[in-house]
Amino acid sequence: MTNKGHAVAPGGITPIQQMVSSCSGAILTSLLVTPLDVVKIRLQAQHNPFIKGRCFVYCNGLMDHLCLCENGNLKVWYKAPGHFNGTLDAFVKIVRHEGIKALWSGLPPTLVMAVPATVIYFTCYDQLCVALKVRMGDHTDMAPLFAGAIARVGSVTVISPLELIRTKLQSQKQSYRELGACIRSAVAADGWLSLWRGWGPTLLRDVPFSAMYWYNYEKGKAWMCKRYNTTEPTFAITFFSGAASGSIASIATLPFDVVKTRRQVELGELQALNLASCKTSSSTLSVMRRIVAENGLRGLFAGFLPRLIKVAPACAIMISTYEFGKAFFHKQNQLQPGNS
């Protein structure tokens, strides 16, 4: 039975409630994880000062964003003065001298895309997983793998052109009011497909990550529920299942993350020089070869520990908050008159 005509999914909640749950999880994840990346970028800027036209990757716990360094502007957050002797020292000094809000520097503009992308991704995953389980018969345990991969393709396809345009606006110092003109100029110069430049490398990293993440998460959650003799997963079960599955997926896809980041930075710097239409964008394979030639096979696994430290808590916070929200709405729906 349903209440007020809303379509309730087999999981006991509506798609709107799934979207609210994922939005809450996305915001909480970004608030808790962003300070780690802000401190990392400040430490990077201290050791290797950012110069005009160079790019760096900013992560708010939900997705990576490309930031272009501004020249001569000492007021930007990543150029704020300060000498840090390590991560903990940076946390303390940033809060003491710049205020606690400085730990979330640069966050608001990135949430404009990161939150909708996360909402699309998680809601599509749940809907697809339910639909696939109905159709897969004896192979329902593979539904999370396929649902995760398909949902990620959808969300990357929607967000890729928006992120490319955001970087272009930043490089040309344009406001969002000039968005239409920016899109028209990009399409006129290089065609519609140019808006999805960088889509391939992103898929190579994110689709295998999502497939492995959801498969291992659902397996891990079911195993822990059985071990602790509970039919409903607790917050701790979803938290640790999310952290473990996120860690496995991040390690397995690390080479693609290294390649994607290299290409993303190179493309951003070309845009800053108005050379984005030039045929200088390398293929994924050629970038891999270049990395191996420069740094050996070890180069494909550069940043192993920082990525693990970033991804594991982000996955744990996001999925446990999302599952908590869904459980809350499910309970509320059960209490509604007319539901059975």
Side-chain angles (χ1 to χ4, degrees), residues 10 18 20 24 26-27 29 73 99-100 119 134 187 190 197 202 228 236 241 245 269 282 319 333 335 338-339:
Q18 289 174 334
V20 171
S24 303
I27 292 171
T29 301
N73 185 1
I100 195 166
V119 169
V134 171
V187 171
D190 305 304
R197 188 179 281 121
T202 303
Y228 293 102
S241 298
S245 55
E269 291 174 357
S282 307
I319 195 64
N333 291 343
L335 295 174
N339 282 343

Side-chain angles (χ1 to χ4, degrees), residues 34-231:
T34 295
L36 297 172
D37 212 57
V38 168
V39 168
K40 183 200 76 175
I41 290 167
R42 291 290 294 274
L43 288 168
Q44 284 177 345
Q46 176 178 291
H47 294 112
N48 298 292
F50 296 135
I51 59 175
K52 182 185 178 182
R54 298 306 300 268
C55 294
F56 63 91
V57 175
Y58 175 101
C59 179
N60 55 21
L62 303 172
M63 60 186 288
D64 294 337
H65 299 271
L66 203 62
C67 293
L68 183 70
C69 301
E70 299 177 35
N71 192 35
N73 185 1
L74 296 177
K75 293 183 179 179
V76 290
W77 63 270
Y78 50 84
K79 286 189 177 180
H83 181 75
F84 312 121
N85 297 314
T87 302
L88 186 59
D89 185 56
F91 267 108
V92 172
K93 285 181 177 175
I94 288 171
V95 172
R96 182 183 298 159
H97 300 299
E98 302 170 40
I100 195 166
K101 287 196 298 185
L103 292 175
W104 290 274
S105 300
L107 177 60
T110 68
L111 289 181
V112 174
M113 276 168 287
V115 172
T118 305
V119 169
I120 291 168
Y121 172 49
F122 275 79
T123 305
C124 287
Y125 167 77
D126 265 346
Q127 297 291 319
L128 283 165
C129 199
V130 169
L132 288 171
K133 282 180 177 178
V134 171
R135 292 165 174 78
M136 293 182 72
D138 296 333
H139 303 286
T140 55
D141 59 333
M142 298 299 289
L145 187 147
F146 291 109
I150 296 167
R152 182 59 82 180
V153 170
S155 99
V156 168
T157 302
V158 170
I159 294 300
S160 274
L162 298 178
E163 178 65 8
L164 194 73
I165 290 163
R166 187 191 70 84
T167 307
K168 197 175 183 69
L169 287 173
Q170 186 191 21
S171 69
Q172 296 176 0
K173 291 187 170 61
Q174 295 176 324
S175 69
Y176 281 98
R177 285 177 294 182
E178 298 169 285
L179 182 63
C182 182
I183 295 172
R184 284 194 295 273
S185 68
V187 171
D190 305 304
W192 281 102
L193 288 179
S194 67
L195 296 178
W196 281 269
R197 188 179 281 121
W199 178 78
T202 303
L203 285 187
L204 279 174
R205 181 193 67 174
D206 289 358
V207 171
F209 179 95
S210 295
M212 283 186 279
Y213 171 77
W214 285 110
Y215 179 80
N216 289 323
Y217 170 73
E218 298 291 359
K219 285 286 188 182
K221 183 174 70 172
W223 179 81
M224 290 185 77
C225 283
K226 186 176 179 181
R227 179 178 174 83
Y228 293 102
N229 197 26
T230 177
T231 54

